[in-house]
Amino acid sequence: MIYGVDIGGTKIEFACFDADLNKLESERLATPVDDYEMFIDTLAGLVENADRRHRCKGKVGIGMPGLIDAEGRSLSANIACANGKKVAESLAARLGHTIVIENDCRLFALSESRGGAGQGSRHVYGAVLGTGAAGGLVIEGRLYRGRQGIAGEYGHHPLPADLRKKYQLPLLRCGCGLLGCLETYITGPGLATLHRQLWGEEIEIPALVQRWRDGDPRALNTKAVHLDLLGAAFANLVMAHDPDIFVLGGGLSRIQEFYRDLPGAIENQLFPGFSAPPVVPPKFGDASGARGAALLALTSAPEQKIATDEN
Ligand SMILES: [Zn+2]
């Protein structure tokens, strides 16, 4: 049995998979964000109950927002109590299981590369575009972590100077602490900020998308500027990694126009004669968190002993 645990800022999704990665069951609990002991207790309880139900000691993979540093420490703004803590180590000490942990956007990429929308491609870049912009590169089925686990943070590349000048965009302070990250304009909240900067209007994303589909000139302008910025972000990725495919995830991956328009926008920012790879929607989408965590456990944790009946 393999347990994939997707920890979000509000909910924990706990899913049990068989060795072929078929999801057998899943449950959701509220994430304790203020009390680390309660946070670990909640996770341990989910694992222990599942072990009891399945009469085994399952492998455990965890996905979390924020960075996991080389020492295994979480750096997460969403789950304050876990900030600076070694979550996998705490849980392993409590349970006696081997626990693997990774950033949730990297796990999205891993999940989509294996059995997902990137299946069959050697170099898959999974790019989550929702409240944040982060992703991961999977090379021949293996997640590329880099030296300290920050490979994949494409949202924190700087705004290109030419586009910033062309559209007179101010440099905004990003949540990461840097100034002028692409993330401040390309994510869901970033798209709303962009529209406000360009037109002085507050708007929710579904309403903005509806307005550009209805042909509203202001909304269409915001869409065009956003596409230019997104094209630049992905062109950076092409120049760094030259992936075979981009799989989009997160809330903005539901905007169908990206799949048609983004390759051209990427090529506008590349050298002449070089092409953008296909940009495709996810197969698993939001379910990729738990599935990717299970995949990580399946591929990196050593075999666990099967517990005997008296357990
Ligand atoms: Zn940033």
Side-chain angles (χ1 to χ4, degrees), residues 187-257:
T187 58
L191 180 53
T193 301
L194 183 64
H195 189 75
R196 191 188 320 120
Q197 290 292 347
L198 294 170
W199 297 105
E201 291 175 346
E202 293 293 336
I203 193 164
E204 303 272 325
I205 300 310
L208 177 65
V209 171
Q210 194 51 55
R211 272 177 53 183
W212 80 45
R213 286 176 184 166
D214 293 341
D216 175 272
R218 290 183 173 188
L220 279 168
N221 175 260
T222 300
K223 173 182 183 273
V225 176
H226 182 259
L227 195 62
D228 256 359
L229 296 173
L230 204 54
F234 280 59
N236 286 342
L237 290 171
V238 172
M239 286 187 274
H241 307 301
D242 203 8
D244 295 309
I245 193 167
F246 283 117
V247 184
L248 291 189
L252 294 194
S253 71
R254 289 192 273 275
I255 299 177
Q256 293 305 311
E257 286 88 332

Side-chain angles (χ1 to χ4, degrees), residues 155-156 174-178 181 183:
H156 305 285
C174 180
C176 74
L178 298 173
C181 294
E183 179 164 302

